[in-house]
């Protein structure tokens, strides 16, 4: 299948910045993949995200979304409909005072017919499990709920790609579970391609593919098992590994032979149990 | 704490008053204010109070909430009362002590002015208590839409108002937060001379402005990501409809005005 | 005698309105000098309201707080005194920076303490050193600093008051893993050097992990209180409070359920690895 996102040799430098934020990044993402993007602050993750729906335009190189070049002005709205963006601070992306009005915002901007807006707003709210809160005021919701409203707000446009820039950074564990669970479900059930930028390794473990960024480059790219197996390299990039990986590393160093692919606590426990018996 | 302010708060509900078209409520609020200024007799005041009480009852608003809303205005109310009470000229003196003189006219005027201010404010509160700020903006936008032809950017203005309303609670919370943080560093916002106090506000205002700008930036970005492109070619999910309830409300409003005028004619 | 004693502390927001909310509900808590206490609970459990009472920012609806046996609400002077003895760093403290230079911002607290110029200068330099800000940053605008530096400058602003108790609300929120680790190390170094007390408010179990004592808050009440091994053993209750277990405790729990005979007090990766290896050493047969 053709990639839904194709990036070729993308370079971008912010005005007044000493060095490039993205330095020759190339990347293909197949439709329906759940991709986690990790990297320390300033590694270029957000800059990459902003190129995917033409908020930033490449200074050199190319970004193609479903074959459309982001530099092409005529494709701007179709690209924005295709690639929904969710940001870190849930408070700063909700426009309206009522949940359902906020979810309707994008469709109203696109001039969709009122009855159709209603239908798609209700559907989007149901998909993120916020339908019962449709008449609530956003500022009274929890962080996780607000973030799910923000997801519904872009979901209503019917995107094929969801790009989430540290959506869980400001949330508590319950909120994080809600958001990541929702995103994962949208990917698995609706086939939506997901790019999740995060600092939390336990979230990355659930992805199909993990990208590690450093100084504007993609330095590792593979399945979570492949990437986290390179624990020492990750630490050298000031990143941590999931606790499960750290544990298996320790046990293997002491002579056990456990698979590094056991990344979730459940898989890890099962592997240890098997090795012990 | 700032959280305790209820000025302009919306109490969600599903009563006949809540269900009215916001345009109806806006127009009727204007009619109500005009009617209030037509009142010249005690009977008129009783009629208005009765009307307000009826609406309060139907809308399931607790009278206490209405009174609480008046609290921030207590200074204005007292000031109005004192001004009228002591500074009204007249011969029908009720009470005199040195230069302080209270006349019958003054007393009457003080009572009626205080009533008028309180009724005015609680009446407008009824609008904000029973209509979501968004509905109010929506109603205003549509009532003012003829101005579009005069190149007044009505949609942009109403969106600005919506966003302002949306962010008031957020910014109040933020103010609370920054205030706590600076107080935790020993900031003293309550004592000192006026210039000192103004200066003491800087640690609060500067971070608040910086944060408001940052929020505005992020919000603009989020709106852009959701295909915001100005008011042109926009549609609305919620269409406003006026129904028989609105007609009935207008009828009742007309009755109120008529009642006031009749009472005034009769001098009751 | 404990350093901080919370007695029957209750706080109700928006009393008498439809928005009335009991944030702290008749809570008793003693905190000793030199403790490293983790206050955990999900959002809305009352953590933030609780810490705003430790330095008399909020007045309790009922009950009181004693510092070294004295009621911190007894007079205006006592309340002000409490503010400097208990330094509170709120969430995202970088948003409180306002002065033109980093130096002036760190000096804001000590200036409010009405200390001598010399003493202020000493404290600013010391506090900056604790958080790892170099002196050539002093004349920069706080707005020019990187995210992590801003956070550290803001924390230095509280350290410069030389509080006896340092309270931090989610100090590592939004930082990357390296930044998180670095900041925690600096905070513990401050504690060791100053002999102070640290209260860490968090829902991050990898931080809670490092406290000597954990207090779990739910709906304004304490539901668990004890050393980490005791608190993390009550996994069901923690989950019920909307909290995660540290991964090691979680895996240990799964293994126990599968019949592996692990000791009860396991909550770090190292402990778990040691326990598993010792089982294996013994010829490790699960019972």
């Amino acid at each position: 299948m053709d990639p839904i996102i194709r990036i070729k040799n993308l370079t971008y430098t912010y005005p007044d910045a000493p060095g490039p934020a993205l330095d020759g990044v190339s990347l293909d993402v197949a439709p329906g993949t759940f991709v986690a993007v990790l990297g320390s602050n300033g590694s270029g993750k957000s800059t990459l995200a902003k190129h995917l729906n033409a908020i930033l335009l490449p200074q050199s190189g190319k970004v193609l979304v479903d074959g459309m070049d982001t530099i092409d002005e005529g494709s701007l709205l179709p690209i924005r409909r295709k690639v929904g963006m969710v940001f870190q601070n849930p408070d700063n992306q909700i426009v309206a005072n009522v949940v359902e009005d906020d979810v309707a915002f994008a469709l109203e901007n696109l001039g969709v017919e009122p009855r159709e807006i209603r239908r798609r707003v209700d559907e989007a709210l149901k998909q993120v499990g916020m339908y019962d809160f449709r008449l609530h005021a956003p500022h009274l919701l929890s962080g996780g709920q607000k973030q799910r409203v923000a997801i519904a707000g872009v979901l209503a446009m019917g995107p094929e790609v969801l790009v989430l820039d540290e959506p869980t950074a400001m949330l508590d564990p319950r909120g994080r579970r809600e958001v990541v669970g929702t995103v994962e479900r949208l990917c698995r059930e609706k086939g939506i391609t997901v790019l999740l930028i995060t600092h939390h390794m336990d979230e990355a473990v659930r992805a199909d593919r993990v990208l590690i960024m450093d100084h504007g480059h993609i330095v590792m790219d593979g399945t979570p098992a492949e990437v986290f197996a390179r624990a020492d390299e990750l630490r050298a990039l000031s990143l941590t590994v999931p606790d499960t990986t750290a544990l298996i590393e320790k046990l293997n160093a002491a002579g056990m032979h456990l698979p590094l692919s056991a990344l979730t606590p459940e898989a890890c426990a099962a592997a240890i149990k098997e090795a012990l018996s | 704490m700032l959280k305790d302010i209820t000025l302009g708060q919306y109490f969600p509900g599903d009563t006949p008053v809540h269900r009215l078209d916001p345009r109806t409520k806006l127009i009727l609020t204007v009619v109500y204010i005009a009617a209030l200024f037509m009142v010249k007799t005690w009977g008129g005041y009783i009629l208005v109070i009765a009307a307000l009480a009826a609406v309060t009852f139907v809308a399931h608003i607790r009278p206490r909430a209405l009174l609480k809303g008046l609290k921030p205005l207590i200074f204005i109310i007292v000031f109005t009362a004192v001004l009228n009470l002591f500074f009204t000229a007249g011969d029908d003196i009720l009470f005199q002590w040195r230069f302080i003189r209270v006349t019958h006219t003054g007393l009457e005027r003080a009572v009626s002015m205080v009533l008028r201010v309180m009724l005015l404010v609680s009446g407008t509160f009824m609008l904000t208590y029973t209509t979501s700020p968004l509905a109010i903006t929506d109603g205003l936008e549509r009532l003012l839409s003829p101005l579009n032809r005069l190149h007044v950017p009505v949609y942009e203005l109403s969106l600005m108002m919506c966003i302002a309303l949306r962010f008031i609670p957020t910014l109040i919370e933020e103010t609370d937060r920054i205030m706590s943080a600076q107080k935790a560093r020993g900031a003293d916002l309550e004592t000192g001379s006026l210039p000192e106090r103004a200066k003491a506000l800087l640690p609060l205002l500067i971070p608040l402005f910086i944060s408001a700008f940052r929020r505005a930036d992020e919000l603009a970005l989020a709106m852009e990501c959701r295909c915001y492109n100005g008011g042109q070619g926009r549609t609305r999910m919620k269409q406003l409809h006026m129904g028989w309830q609105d007609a009935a409300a207008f009828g009742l409003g007309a009755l109120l005005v008529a009642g006031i005028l009749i009472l005034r004619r009769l001098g009751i | 005698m404990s350093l901080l004693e919370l007695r029957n502390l209750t706080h109700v927001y928006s009393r008498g309105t439809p928005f009335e909310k009991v944030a702290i509900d008749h809570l008793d808590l003693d905190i000793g000098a030199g403790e490293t206490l983790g206050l955990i609970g999900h959002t809305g459990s009352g953590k933030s309201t609780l810490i705003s009472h430790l330095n008399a920012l909020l007045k309790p609806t009922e009950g009181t707080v004693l510092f070294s046996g004295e009621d911190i609400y007894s007079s205006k002077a006592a309340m002000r005194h409490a503010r400097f003895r208990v330094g509170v760093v709120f969430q995202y403290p970088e948003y409180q920076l306002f002065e033109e230079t980093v130096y002036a911002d760190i000096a804001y607290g000590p200036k409010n303490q009405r200390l001598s110029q010399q003493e202020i200068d000493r404290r600013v330099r010391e506090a900056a050193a604790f958080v790892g800000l170099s002196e050539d940053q002093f004349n920069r605008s706080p707005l020019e600093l990187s995210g992590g530096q801003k956070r550290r400058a803001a924390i230095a602003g509280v350290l410069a008051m030389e509080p006896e108790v340092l309270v931090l609300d989610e100090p590592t929120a939004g930082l990357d893993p390296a930044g998180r680790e670095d900041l925690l190390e600096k905070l513990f170094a401050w504690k060791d050097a100053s002999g102070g007390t640290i209260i860490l408010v968090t829902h991050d179990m990898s931080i809670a992990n490092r406290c000597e004592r954990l207090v779990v808050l739910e709906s304004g009440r304490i539901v668990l209180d004890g050393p980490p091994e005791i608190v993390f053993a009550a996994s069901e209750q923690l989950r019920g409070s909307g909290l995660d277990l540290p991964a090691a405790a979680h895996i240990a729990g799964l293994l126990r359920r599968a019949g592996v005979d692990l000791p009860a007090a396991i909550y770090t990766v190292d402990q778990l690895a040691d326990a598993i290896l010792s089982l294996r050493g013994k010829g490790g047969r699960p019972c």
Side-chain angles (χ1 to χ4, degrees), chain C residues 37-178:
Chain C
L37 184 115
L39 193 60
I40 57 184
H42 72 85
T43 315
S45 57
K47 293 174 297 178
S48 301
T49 309
L50 176 65
I51 59 170
S52 295
H53 285 88
L54 300 179
N55 66 345
L57 274 181
L58 281 181
K59 279 195 182 167
T61 313
E62 245 181 89
T64 193
V65 177
L66 308 179
F67 192 108
S68 298
E70 280 169 51
D71 189 339
I72 63 168
Y73 295 101
S74 60
S75 68
K76 268 222 152 116
M79 284 170 67
R80 212 173 153 66
H81 197 45
R83 210 145 289 175
F84 298 122
R85 295 177 77 177
V86 180
V88 179
V89 180
F90 287 97
Q91 249 183 75
Y92 300 100
E94 54 273 28
Y95 296 141
Q96 77 202 34
L97 299 170
F98 74 98
E99 286 279 12
E100 279 172 53
T101 66
V102 172
Y103 182 93
D105 212 287
I106 301 177
Y108 179 69
K111 239 163 72 189
N112 285 327
Q113 285 174 287
R114 314 219 186 284
L115 299 170
S116 72
Q117 203 55 50
Q118 218 179 349
E119 176 68 6
I120 293 177
D121 187 65
R122 179 188 68 77
R123 288 185 173 202
V124 171
R125 285 174 202 283
E126 254 185 55
F130 266 125
V131 299
L133 279 177
S134 62
E135 302 209 347
D136 46 300
Q137 313 273 26
F138 281 179
N139 287 320
R140 293 178 74 187
S141 158
L143 300 181
E144 291 168 15
L145 301 179
S146 74
Q149 286 174 325
K150 276 186 201 169
R151 174 81 48 97
R152 283 183 278 150
I155 293 174
V158 174
L159 289 183
M161 304 192 308
E162 300 199 341
E164 292 163 54
V165 180
L166 181 62
V167 185
L168 302 115
D169 191 354
E170 295 293 353
T172 60
L175 299 181
D176 58 19

Side-chain angles (χ1 to χ4, degrees), chain A:
Chain A
M1 219 185 311
D2 281 340
I4 181 95
I5 288 167
R6 164 158 278 178
I7 299 174
K8 278 190 249 166
N9 208 15
L10 170 63
T11 300
Y12 188 88
T13 309
Y14 287 100
D16 304 324
L22 291 177
D23 191 3
V25 170
S26 295
L27 172 71
D28 279 359
V29 178
T33 327
F34 180 178
V35 184
V37 185
L38 302 171
S40 54
N41 287 340
S43 59
K45 299 173 306 234
S46 296
T47 312
L48 179 67
K50 286 188 182 126
H51 276 90
L52 299 178
N53 71 341
I55 292 292
L56 293 177
L57 296 175
Q59 283 161 348
S60 76
K62 250 188 196 322
V63 178
L64 301 174
V65 174
D66 202 11
M68 292 179 286
D69 193 333
T70 57
I71 211 124
D72 178 6
E73 245 175 80
S75 307
L76 186 69
L77 282 186
I79 286 177
R80 296 239 164 112
R81 291 183 77 151
K82 232 172 210 135
V83 182
M85 276 273 217
V86 176
F87 297 95
Q88 183 183 101
N89 190 332
D91 271 322
N92 298 352
Q93 45 190 328
I94 296 179
V95 187
N97 312 51
V98 181
V99 166
E100 61 175 16
D101 290 329
D102 186 73
V103 177
F105 183 72
L107 297 172
E108 292 181 334
N109 288 334
L110 291 164
V112 176
E113 194 254 327
R115 232 172 302 155
E116 175 67 7
I117 300 184
R118 179 83 256 171
R119 192 185 66 72
R120 284 162 66 172
V121 165
D122 289 348
E123 196 187 308
L125 281 169
K126 281 178 191 156
Q127 284 178 3
V128 300
M130 288 298 291
Y131 184 70
D132 292 340
F133 293 87
R134 63 193 181 281
L135 296 176
H136 282 229
H139 73 272
L140 299 175
L141 301 177
S142 76
Q145 291 173 329
K146 280 186 214 174
Q147 209 56 303
R148 284 189 286 154
V149 171
I151 294 174
V154 297
L155 216 51
M157 298 192 291
E160 289 171 36
V161 183
L162 261 184
V163 179
L164 305 107
D165 192 352
E166 292 189 41
T168 58
M170 301 179 79
L171 306 182
D172 64 5
R174 185 182 287 178
R176 281 177 46 204
R177 273 200 295 268
E178 283 171 19
V179 169
V180 177
T182 304
V183 169
E184 201 179 0
R185 198 160 37 75
L186 288 170
C187 177
R188 306 289 175 230
E189 287 171 17
K190 307 275 158 198
I192 294 178
T193 312
V194 171
L195 242 96
L196 175 71
I197 298 177
T198 182
H199 283 315
H200 292 282
M201 303 302 147
D202 51 336
E203 292 171 9
V205 158
R206 300 158 79 161
D208 303 316
R209 181 175 172 192
V210 177
L211 301 177
I212 307 285
M213 291 197 69
D214 185 53
H215 291 100
H217 300 274
I218 294 176
V219 291
M220 289 188 214
D221 179 355
T223 62
E226 286 164 6
V227 169
F228 292 125
R230 296 156 73 179
D232 291 332
E233 287 169 74
L234 285 171
R235 290 198 188 95
L237 297 168
S238 341
L239 293 171
T240 52
V241 294
D243 285 338
T244 45
T245 311
L247 177 67
I248 291 178
E249 247 192 322
K250 275 211 165 73
L251 295 175
N252 285 355
M256 289 179 76
H257 299 282
L258 297 165
L260 276 160
S261 57
L263 288 166
T264 62
E266 289 76 16
C268 184
I272 294 170
K273 159 98 173 124
E274 174 148 346
L276 283 177
S277 48

Side-chain angles (χ1 to χ4, degrees), chain A residues 50 53 55 80 87 89 91-97 100-102 105-106 108-109 111-112 114 117 139 153, chain B residues 134 162-163 165-167 169 215 218-219 221-228 233-239:
Chain A
K50 286 188 182 126
N53 71 341
I55 292 292
R80 296 239 164 112
F87 297 95
N89 190 332
D91 271 322
N92 298 352
Q93 45 190 328
I94 296 179
V95 187
N97 312 51
E100 61 175 16
D101 290 329
D102 186 73
F105 183 72
E108 292 181 334
N109 288 334
V112 176
I117 300 184
H139 73 272
Chain B
L134 206 75
C162 273
I163 291 175
L165 286 167
R166 148 78 186 86
F167 277 89
R215 284 182 191 281
E218 289 182 17
L219 185 71
L221 185 63
M223 284 168 64
E224 214 185 314
C225 288
R226 289 208 268 157
C227 306
Y228 176 69
R234 255 187 137 251
T235 48
R236 305 305 290 267
M237 174 170 72
K238 288 178 184 163
Q239 304 291 312

Side-chain angles (χ1 to χ4, degrees), chain C:
Chain C
M1 187 175 58
S2 299
L3 186 62
L4 271 168
E5 294 164 72
L6 280 57
R7 291 278 164 268
N8 195 28
L9 193 72
T10 303
H11 194 92
V12 184
Y13 283 113
S14 306
R15 203 165 209 188
T17 73
F19 305 102
E20 181 169 306
K21 186 177 180 297
V22 181
I24 299 290
D25 194 0
H26 299 92
L27 181 144
D28 288 293
L29 178 66
D30 284 10
I31 300 164
E35 275 194 63
T36 307
L37 184 115
L39 193 60
I40 57 184
H42 72 85
T43 315
S45 57
K47 293 174 297 178
S48 301
T49 309
L50 176 65
I51 59 170
S52 295
H53 285 88
L54 300 179
N55 66 345
L57 274 181
L58 281 181
K59 279 195 182 167
T61 313
E62 245 181 89
T64 193
V65 177
L66 308 179
F67 192 108
S68 298
E70 280 169 51
D71 189 339
I72 63 168
Y73 295 101
S74 60
S75 68
K76 268 222 152 116
M79 284 170 67
R80 212 173 153 66
H81 197 45
R83 210 145 289 175
F84 298 122
R85 295 177 77 177
V86 180
V88 179
V89 180
F90 287 97
Q91 249 183 75
Y92 300 100
E94 54 273 28
Y95 296 141
Q96 77 202 34
L97 299 170
F98 74 98
E99 286 279 12
E100 279 172 53
T101 66
V102 172
Y103 182 93
D105 212 287
I106 301 177
Y108 179 69
K111 239 163 72 189
N112 285 327
Q113 285 174 287
R114 314 219 186 284
L115 299 170
S116 72
Q117 203 55 50
Q118 218 179 349
E119 176 68 6
I120 293 177
D121 187 65
R122 179 188 68 77
R123 288 185 173 202
V124 171
R125 285 174 202 283
E126 254 185 55
F130 266 125
V131 299
L133 279 177
S134 62
E135 302 209 347
D136 46 300
Q137 313 273 26
F138 281 179
N139 287 320
R140 293 178 74 187
S141 158
L143 300 181
E144 291 168 15
L145 301 179
S146 74
Q149 286 174 325
K150 276 186 201 169
R151 174 81 48 97
R152 283 183 278 150
I155 293 174
V158 174
L159 289 183
M161 304 192 308
E162 300 199 341
E164 292 163 54
V165 180
L166 181 62
V167 185
L168 302 115
D169 191 354
E170 295 293 353
T172 60
L175 299 181
D176 58 19
R180 248 182 281 178
E181 204 48 44
D182 180 50
L183 182 59
L184 283 177
E185 255 164 47
K186 293 197 157 92
L187 291 174
F188 286 122
W190 171 84
K191 182 186 180 296
D192 290 340
S194 68
T197 306
I198 283 196
I199 301 176
L200 286 168
V201 180
T202 187
H203 43 234
D204 185 339
M205 291 304 143
S206 60
I207 296 177
N209 241 337
R210 310 191 185 186
C211 298
E212 295 156 5
R213 175 182 171 198
L214 293 176
V215 170
V216 182
L217 223 55
E218 196 190 334
S219 311
R221 294 171 205 229
I222 294 174
V223 290
L224 285 168
D225 181 353
E229 61 268 25
I230 301 290
V231 168
F232 289 137
S235 57
E236 292 304 314
Q237 206 168 350
L238 275 179
R239 285 200 166 266
S241 301
L243 293 165
D244 279 335
L245 278 177
H250 186 186
I251 296 168
L254 291 170
L255 285 172
R256 270 185 224 112
R257 223 168 300 156
V260 179
D261 184 24
L262 288 171
I266 288 179
Y267 57 94
T268 67
V269 170
D270 290 346
Q271 291 168 347
L272 180 56
D274 290 346
I276 292 170
L277 291 173
S278 76
L279 270 184
R280 193 164 157 264
K282 279 186 282 181
R285 290 271 164 265
C287 53

